[in-house]
Amino acid sequence: MNDSRMIRGKKFDCSFAWLLLRYKLSDKYAIKAKHSAANNAYFRTLRVLIASIKQTFGCKQKIIFYDLENVRQNKEWKAELDSVCELEVRIFNFSQMVAGRVRHPKSYAWKIFVMADVLLEYDTVIWVDTSIFFASANLTKLLKPLQRGKIGPVQMPGFTSHGMNIATHPGMYEYLPLYTNFEPNKTYALSGNDPPQFEANFIILHKTEQTRQLMKWHNLNY
């Protein structure tokens, strides 16, 4: 379409397109479990999270834990993890990410790679940070309408109380020009040109074409 009214962003570096093939996010894969990650500093909260899931949902729930900093090298922690039913530990491979700041655990860029990896195997998955504690097993009000297509395939129930701009690198808008009059926010106050940002500590993802597109562009952005 040759329309002067269309807004076009900067072209992504195609040298990283292999990641889209790896996670089946490229357009050739158009689409007609609970998982988490932690490093050594967060092992204690990981322990609480696993206990919360098992106590609330029972032992049949599959948990996939991505080890960010060789947690299993600690023999005591390894023995504890090995004793948990239906818990799979995977070592996260940081080398698949662009060298530099995005590989730092505090960038949290690895989250999107973890989600893409798990969605290769499961139709519906739940991401939970180690800060999450389950008080109830009743997720029916989200899971049933999600799987029936009544609500969006990506659910992030928590709200950060601030907008997107304060937490978004301005360079992203060169690739995805969501705003024509973007101005970086210097405070956490919401403005008319700043949509609210939702928390990424509890996310339900259902595999659909919309989810694939979201993961594809998010992956390219990193």
Side-chain angles (χ1 to χ4, degrees):
M1 181 184 296
N2 185 15
D3 191 335
S4 60
R5 295 172 298 177
M6 292 181 64
I7 300 173
R8 292 179 172 84
K10 182 179 176 181
K11 186 177 180 180
F12 281 95
D13 185 348
C14 293
S15 64
F16 298 106
W18 65 272
L19 285 169
L20 302 185
L21 296 175
R22 175 175 183 169
Y23 293 113
K24 296 186 178 180
L25 297 174
S26 67
D27 290 344
K28 68 180 289 186
Y29 295 107
I31 298 172
K32 297 181 180 174
K34 292 183 180 68
H35 57 293
S36 187
N39 58 15
N40 295 341
Y42 292 94
F43 181 77
R44 289 174 177 80
T45 53
L46 171 69
R47 177 189 288 140
V48 174
L49 169 64
I50 292 174
S52 173
I53 292 174
K54 292 303 181 183
Q55 290 173 3
T56 306
F57 297 96
C59 282
K60 292 184 178 180
Q61 288 292 327
K62 173 82 171 184
I63 301 175
I64 302 175
F65 161 58
Y66 282 78
D67 187 347
L68 301 180
E69 285 187 350
N70 297 317
V71 169
R72 286 173 60 86
Q73 287 188 358
N74 183 304
K75 293 183 179 180
E76 182 180 340
W77 293 351
K78 179 182 182 300
E80 183 174 337
L81 292 172
D82 290 344
S83 69
V84 179
C85 59
E86 288 298 314
L87 172 65
E88 178 184 350
V89 179
R90 299 179 181 179
I91 305 298
F92 183 76
N93 179 17
F94 279 95
S95 67
Q96 66 186 301
M97 303 171 69
V98 181
R101 65 176 183 82
V102 294
R103 289 191 184 183
H104 194 284
K106 286 293 185 180
S107 77
Y108 300 105
W110 45 265
K111 269 191 181 184
I112 200 67
F113 290 83
V114 169
M115 294 177 194
D117 190 39
V118 178
L119 279 172
L120 283 173
E121 304 171 52
Y122 301 94
D123 289 335
T124 304
V125 300
I126 301 175
W127 164 271
V128 282
D129 278 9
T130 57
S131 60
I132 295 295
F133 181 84
F134 287 95
S136 169
N138 185 14
L139 296 177
T140 305
K141 66 179 181 180
L142 287 174
L143 291 177
K144 281 192 174 180
L146 181 145
Q147 292 173 335
R148 293 173 180 171
K150 301 293 184 181
I151 60 177
V154 179
Q155 293 295 313
M156 304 169 71
F159 174 48
T160 62
S161 76
H162 63 75
M164 287 179 56
N165 292 348
I166 192 67
T168 302
H169 193 289
M172 190 202 78
Y173 296 115
E174 295 180 16
Y175 298 92
L176 302 177
L178 303 178
Y179 306 104
T180 56
N181 58 338
F182 169 74
E183 293 181 3
N185 276 5
K186 296 182 179 180
T187 70
Y188 283 95
L190 284 169
S191 67
N193 191 35
D194 190 12
Q197 179 171 326
F198 294 91
E199 293 181 338
N201 55 8
F202 180 89
I203 308 172
I204 302 176
L205 300 116
H206 185 59
K207 189 184 294 184
T208 65
E209 173 62 9
Q210 183 180 348
T211 311
R212 184 191 69 82
Q213 290 282 357
L214 175 65
M215 301 292 284
K216 178 182 77 171
W217 292 112
H218 201 156
N219 192 293
L220 283 173
N221 189 49
Y222 282 116

